[in-house]
């Protein structure tokens, strides 16, 4: 029905001064009904008085009204919108869902324009002092700040945004090429405002501050589709927030673009050609294991296989692949999810991580019954994955018969090709890398192209172990890790030697190679 003034005067709750334009504004041009609601009715007013602006089926404005709301508020909404609109009464529960979904999606476009010429510091200065964002009549400064931080992070190639409240300050740190650096420092009083706004965008419970929460924000920036994974954690000075930026274009990454080459690439491609068995990718958190698994799935996704995954969480959506997310709250663990998808007639199964014996047992049984299983294990190197499975009390003969290949990887920072500088390796560096003293290597300098860091981007370092008959016998007999490693890398590069090769070609620095090299008696004769 159309809203119009009644004969009786009612006490009308006013919109905030910047929103209410006065009766003179009634003759002004009508607003665009499809603009995001945050620009039409401020969030605080919508939540308090139970009204949400939507777009009706005919394109006309439609105001959803909470059942328990005072109808008099519609008069003020009419005065603010400056045009007629339809109304729809909804139950309280449905209204809350509409409120969160409508206000969570704003700011998804035009992020790059939020920063302006004065930078993030100017946006931070505009944040009002308020205990909670929803108590502020104007949340636009918080929106602009968060949009600006995300846009700046995307421009810099940031993987994670850390928002950390302390007693005196709110600090924003960005992880670029695996290294955290402080990017912005604000007064502590803005922390609840910023955190609350992020929680609104990620559809999290704003009132709950005692327990960790996880959510997602979908964004579009310059035609690029992004997913931002949001995690909150209560701390002494407030809630910490970490936002991981996931570029959806990475979901289409192929093996050719991983940076894997030589013997490691051959091992991986041969293993992917097997009809069954287990392929493991190992490495610490942030080493690119998930990206490698997705590249493998893309290789196998030819339309002739049923590919199913169980992940925690699903980072990228891939057409043609059935992806299931772990949810421990409802008992959806890796083990239970793996059991379920085995009843879905899969050809290829991807398990996000093998964490316990139960998951490992099911994965091995799946591989022995004709499935190709891809998964990850947190170990330092490829041979360590075999030891890890033994620690889970998996029988050695089962490991030997099911395992096809193990890929270990790291990410090292790539030297900026514009400003890197050749130097001679001194005695200490040469000894650590197994180089000749005085051999030419390159060091980081810093220029405008790399933001004065000396590095630009990262490159993968890989070692790969193919389980051949000799290795299978060693594993089945319970062979020592050092003996297995000696055989596996007799004619193949280790992580250390692969990193040293990148130092010689000037792709990375000696410090980066030393950081990931093993110092446990690795045979220097294997260096390349």
């Amino acid at each position: 029905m159309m809203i119009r003034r009644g004969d009786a005067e009612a006490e009308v709750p006013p919109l905030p001064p910047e929103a209410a334009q006065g009766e003179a504004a009634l003759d002004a041009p009508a607003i665009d009904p499809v603009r995001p609601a945050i620009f039409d009715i401020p969030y605080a007013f919508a939540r308090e008085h139970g009204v949400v602006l939507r777009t009706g089926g005919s394109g006309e404005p439609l105001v959803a009204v909470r059942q328990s709301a005072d109808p008099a508020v519609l008069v003020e909404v009419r005065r603010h919108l400056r045009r007629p609109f339809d109304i729809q009464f909804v139950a309280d529960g449905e209204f809350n869902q509409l409120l969160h979904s409508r206000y969570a999606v704003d700011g998804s476009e035009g992020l790059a324009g939020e920063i302006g010429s004065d930078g993030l510091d100017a946006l931070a200065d505009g944040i009002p002092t308020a205990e909670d964002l929803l108590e502020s009549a104007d949340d636009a400064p918080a929106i602009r700040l968060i949009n600006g931080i995300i846009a700046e992070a995307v421009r810099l190639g940031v993987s994670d945004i850390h928002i950390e409240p302390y007693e005196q300050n709110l600090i924003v740190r960005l992880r670029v090429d695996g290294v955290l650096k402080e990017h912005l420092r604000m007064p502590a009083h803005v922390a609840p405002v910023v955190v609350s706004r992020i929680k609104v965008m990620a559809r999290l419970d704003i009132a709950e501050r005692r327990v960790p929460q996880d959510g997602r924000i979908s964004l579009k920036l310059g035609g690029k589709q992004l997913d931002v994974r949001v995690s909150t954690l209560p701390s002494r000075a407030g809630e910490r927030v970490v936002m991981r930026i996931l570029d959806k274009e990475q979901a289409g990454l192929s093996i050719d673009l991983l940076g894997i080459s030589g013997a490691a690439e051959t091992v991986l491609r041969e293993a992917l050609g097997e009809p069954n068995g287990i392929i493991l990718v190992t490495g610490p958190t942030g080493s690119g294991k998930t990206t490698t698994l997705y590249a493998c799935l893309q290789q196998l996704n030819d339309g002739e296989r049923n590919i199913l995954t169980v992940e925690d969480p699903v980072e990228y959506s891939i057409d043609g692949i059935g992806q299931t997310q772990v949810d421990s709250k409802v008992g959806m663990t890796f083990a239970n999810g793996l059991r379920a998808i085995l009843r879905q007639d899969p050809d290829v199964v991807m398990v996000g991580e093998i964490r316990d014996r139960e998951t490992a047992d099911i994965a091995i049984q799946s591989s022995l019954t004709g499935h190709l299983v891809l998964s990850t294990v947190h170990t330092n190197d490829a041979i360590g994955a075999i030891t890890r499975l033994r620690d889970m009390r998996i029988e050695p003969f089962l490991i030997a018969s099911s395992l096809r290949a193990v890929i270990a990887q790291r990410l090292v920072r790539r030297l900026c090709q514009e400003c890197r500088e050749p130097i001679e390796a001194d005695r200490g560096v040469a000894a650590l890398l197994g180089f000749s003293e005085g051999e030419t290597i390159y060091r980081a300098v810093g220029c405008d192209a790399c933001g004065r860091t000396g590095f630009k981007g990262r490159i993968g370092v890989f070692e790969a172990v193919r389980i051949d008959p000799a290795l299978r016998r060693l594993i089945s007999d319970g062979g020592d890790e050092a003996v297995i490693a000696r055989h596996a890398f007799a004619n193949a590069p280790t992580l250390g030697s692969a990193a040293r090769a990148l130092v010689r070609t000037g792709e990375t620095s000696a410090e980066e190679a030393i950081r990931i090299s093993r110092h446990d008696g690795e045979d220097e004769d294997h260096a390349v």
Side-chain angles (χ1 to χ4, degrees), residues 175 244 282-289 353 378-379 410-411 458:
R175 187 179 294 278
R244 169 156 288 189
T282 78
T285 301
S287 60
K289 300 186 299 295
E353 182 185 349
H378 279 92
T379 60
R410 295 287 193 282
L411 292 175
R458 289 189 289 180

Side-chain angles (χ1 to χ4, degrees), residues 403-422:
L403 205 56
R404 296 291 177 266
V406 184
I407 311 295
Q409 66 181 82
R410 295 287 193 282
L411 292 175
V412 294
R413 292 186 291 171
R414 189 195 297 265
L415 282 169
C416 175
Q417 302 299 301
E418 300 291 330
C419 63
R420 64 177 186 175
E421 182 178 272

Side-chain angles (χ1 to χ4, degrees), residues 397-473:
F397 73 90
L398 289 176
I399 300 173
S401 57
S402 61
L403 205 56
R404 296 291 177 266
V406 184
I407 311 295
Q409 66 181 82
R410 295 287 193 282
L411 292 175
V412 294
R413 292 186 291 171
R414 189 195 297 265
L415 282 169
C416 175
Q417 302 299 301
E418 300 291 330
C419 63
R420 64 177 186 175
E421 182 178 272
I423 59 171
E424 293 183 354
D426 59 31
R427 180 178 301 175
V429 170
L432 287 171
L433 291 177
F435 287 2
S436 302
E437 186 177 350
E439 188 171 341
T440 299
I441 58 175
Y442 291 82
R443 71 178 183 94
V445 177
C447 64
D448 291 337
C450 60
R452 301 292 170 184
T453 64
F455 297 92
K456 194 171 184 180
R458 289 189 289 180
I459 187 171
V461 182
F462 301 87
E463 71 177 18
V465 175
R466 186 79 161 101
I467 310 301
D468 58 21
L471 267 181
R472 193 165 287 116
R473 285 192 297 272

